[in-house]
Amino acid sequence: MNTKTVVLVGVPWNVHELDDAVRDAATLGVSLLLVDTPESLAQIGEQTAVETRSVKALDPLLIADCVRDAEPAAVLAITEFCMELAAAVRERLGIAGTPPTVEARVLDKAATREVLREHGLTQVGFHRTSLLSTDDLLGGLEPPVVVKPRSFSGSHGVTFVTDRSELARVFEPYDLAEANHVDRDARVAHLAGDHRTHEVIVEEYVPGPEISAEGLVVDGRLTLFTLTDKVNTGMPHFEEVGHVVPSRYTEERKAQVEEYLQAVVSALGFVTSPMHAEIKLLDDRIELVEIHTRYPGDRVVELLESAYEIRPYEAYFDAMVNGRAPVPPRPTGVYHGVGFFNGSTTAPFTWPSYAFPHPEAVVSVDLDRRRAPRVFAYEGLRIRYWRAGHVLFASEDHASVHANIGFLFDNTPRQGGSGS
């Protein structure tokens, strides 16, 4: 029997994601073919055993021509910057999957929220605008609000504004002259449309716990794998410090979250793809913060594998190649977490203490001072922080894992207070 080929478009920013994909493809008997530019392919090193092909530019026509002879059973991306690109390649090759129009709608936070409003799935007021505009930035909204790029992630460029006197700090991370350049940053795939980082969305601030939800959509039907607790630095930039799987809210809110997110993915038009959603839990409802047609980064897939009996990429490849929906995974009864050594991009990285409050919950520490940020700026947005490493945790006690992640935040230079 011939081995089926899955084409991966784009090298992910984190090599761990690619390693997981390669391992799970082999388990399923699928051959992976990774396509990217020569410069990006050079970054994966010799430790990841995956077949590669290079193209001179990340263009759907070039990629389709490059892989056509392999007769791929599926074309997909596991990196956020290539989701729409992979969909365009699928369309050219006549391969089923979530279409480019849906990928574009999901990448654009303003377009996503417009769909939610049309379907009665949000009560959040919002306004799309440009930082280059001379009009009122808030567009009739009143603080408190959150301002963020329409097509970026990782909390980069996110700013909380308490009142109008703080509006100036929204502009601080941007070089607007650079943001308005016609040429885009060649180090990541081009996004369709004019969704540069100066194109922002202003949203009413929604208080309450923020968690994420991870799952897989097959032929429009969502199987929710887990809820994930998120630890961040809080106002004003909400930089992520760590994650815990499963969430402490799982028992009381999982069914409600799954019902809400099924309505969201149906409204947006997901066909077959992973789902990573960031949501706010309110007493009377759930509000979507943002959603993606990919699995989360930040080692959350690894946490999911440890906390549940599932391999997410194997389930994804099986869905794309064989059309099979996953069985809802069973929890192992252990909480798994990751915390990050976050550093400022403008200062040398230092770390003051390793005296975790629950050292018995520490599984491994990964810290390398030789690391450097992947990029310091993206289309005019200066990247404020980066991760020099991480710590993995595991315990039967959720509070122990959460406290260790909070310790990392408490010891992050230029932060003050505990993560929440």
Side-chain angles (χ1 to χ4, degrees):
M1 183 175 67
N2 292 332
T3 300
K4 294 181 179 179
T5 298
V6 170
V7 170
L8 293 184
V9 178
V11 175
W13 282 36
N14 190 328
V15 70
H16 296 291
E17 298 170 38
L18 181 57
D19 289 338
D20 290 342
V22 170
R23 178 204 63 196
D24 290 355
T27 300
L28 197 61
V30 167
S31 174
L32 287 188
L33 177 59
L34 177 63
V35 181
D36 207 325
T37 62
E39 296 78 13
S40 293
L41 291 174
Q43 298 171 4
I44 65 175
E46 299 177 356
Q47 301 303 313
T48 301
V50 60
E51 183 183 354
T52 63
R53 291 187 184 180
S54 64
V55 288
K56 64 180 181 181
L58 290 174
D59 175 88
L61 177 59
L62 294 177
I63 296 172
D65 288 344
C66 176
V67 303
R68 198 181 306 274
D69 66 298
E71 299 181 351
V75 176
L76 51 92
I78 61 174
T79 177
E80 62 190 276
F81 293 109
C82 294
M83 309 309 296
E84 188 177 353
L85 181 63
V89 176
R90 282 197 300 269
E91 191 171 66
R92 283 192 171 275
L93 294 175
I95 296 174
T98 299
T101 53
V102 173
E103 298 286 3
R105 190 180 303 149
V106 171
L107 282 168
D108 183 349
K109 296 180 179 66
T112 296
R113 196 156 292 283
E114 287 173 354
V115 171
L116 298 184
R117 182 170 60 185
E118 291 169 4
H119 287 79
L121 296 170
T122 182
Q123 297 178 30
V124 174
F126 67 97
H127 165 62
R128 65 164 77 192
T129 187
S130 168
L131 297 180
L132 303 176
S133 173
T134 57
D135 297 335
D136 179 15
L137 180 67
L138 299 186
L141 297 176
E142 288 300 325
V145 297
V146 176
V147 183
K148 53 190 176 183
R150 283 171 54 191
S151 296
F152 208 48
S153 62
S155 299
H156 299 298
V158 175
T159 303
F160 175 77
V161 177
T162 306
D163 58 60
R164 287 180 174 269
S165 67
E166 297 176 345
L167 283 176
R169 75 179 179 196
V170 170
F171 298 85
E172 289 175 359
Y174 291 90
D175 179 347
L176 294 179
E178 181 68 23
N180 202 32
H181 278 179
V182 173
D183 293 333
R184 291 179 176 272
D185 192 329
R187 287 167 290 191
V188 296
H190 294 182
L191 301 176
D194 189 22
H195 303 159
R196 305 177 199 278
T197 50
H198 66 80
E199 296 285 336
V200 298
I201 179 173
V202 183
E203 297 178 335
E204 292 176 337
Y205 174 68
V206 178
E210 181 176 335
I211 66 170
S212 67
E214 334 304 344
L216 181 64
V217 180
V218 181
D219 290 331
R221 188 68 194 171
L222 169 65
T223 299
L224 186 62
F225 294 157
T226 190
L227 304 184
T228 303
D229 284 327
K230 298 164 62 67
V231 183
N232 64 56
T233 60
M235 304 170 187
H237 303 305
F238 306 99
E239 295 165 0
E240 293 182 355
V241 177
H243 310 278
V244 185
V245 177
S247 165
R248 56 190 156 180
Y249 300 102
T250 299
E251 185 173 345
E252 59 181 298
R253 304 298 294 263
K254 185 177 181 181
Q256 183 190 19
V257 168
E258 186 164 24
E259 181 181 7
Y260 172 75
L261 289 177
Q262 177 62 66
V264 169
V265 299
S266 296
L268 289 169
F270 282 47
V271 178
T272 296
S273 67
M275 183 222 63
H276 167 56
E278 298 180 6
I279 56 178
K280 281 293 191 80
L281 300 178
L282 287 76
D283 291 340
D284 61 339
R285 69 185 196 276
I286 297 166
E287 280 285 354
L288 185 76
V289 176
E290 60 184 63
I291 193 167
H292 304 275
T293 55
R294 58 169 173 80
Y295 288 130
D298 292 348
R299 309 301 293 272
V300 175
V301 167
E302 183 175 339
L303 304 184
L304 179 55
E305 291 176 348
S306 299
Y308 291 84
E309 296 177 356
I310 191 170
R311 285 189 170 180
Y313 283 112
E314 182 179 338
Y316 182 23
F317 298 152
D318 198 18
M320 289 290 284
V321 173
N322 300 313
R324 278 194 284 263
V327 175
R330 294 183 298 178
T332 62
V334 177
Y335 294 96
H336 291 262
V338 62
F340 304 110
F341 294 108
N342 282 355
S344 169
T345 54
T346 60
F349 180 79
T350 59
W351 197 255
S353 173
Y354 296 90
F356 290 100
H358 298 279
E360 74 283 357
V362 176
V363 173
S364 64
V365 178
D366 179 327
L367 180 62
D368 189 339
R369 290 176 59 89
R370 296 171 297 179
R371 288 194 178 103
R374 186 71 171 267
V375 293
F376 287 90
Y378 176 70
E379 293 182 359
L381 172 61
R382 290 186 292 275
I383 306 302
R384 277 186 288 242
Y385 77 100
W386 65 289
R387 290 164 180 163
H390 64 270
V391 187
L392 296 178
F393 307 106
S395 174
E396 294 182 359
D397 176 33
H398 181 284
S400 297
V401 176
H402 194 273
N404 279 351
I405 295 173
F407 170 81
L408 287 173
F409 171 51
D410 291 339
N411 284 277
T412 298
R414 287 167 296 281
Q415 298 291 353
S418 60
S420 61

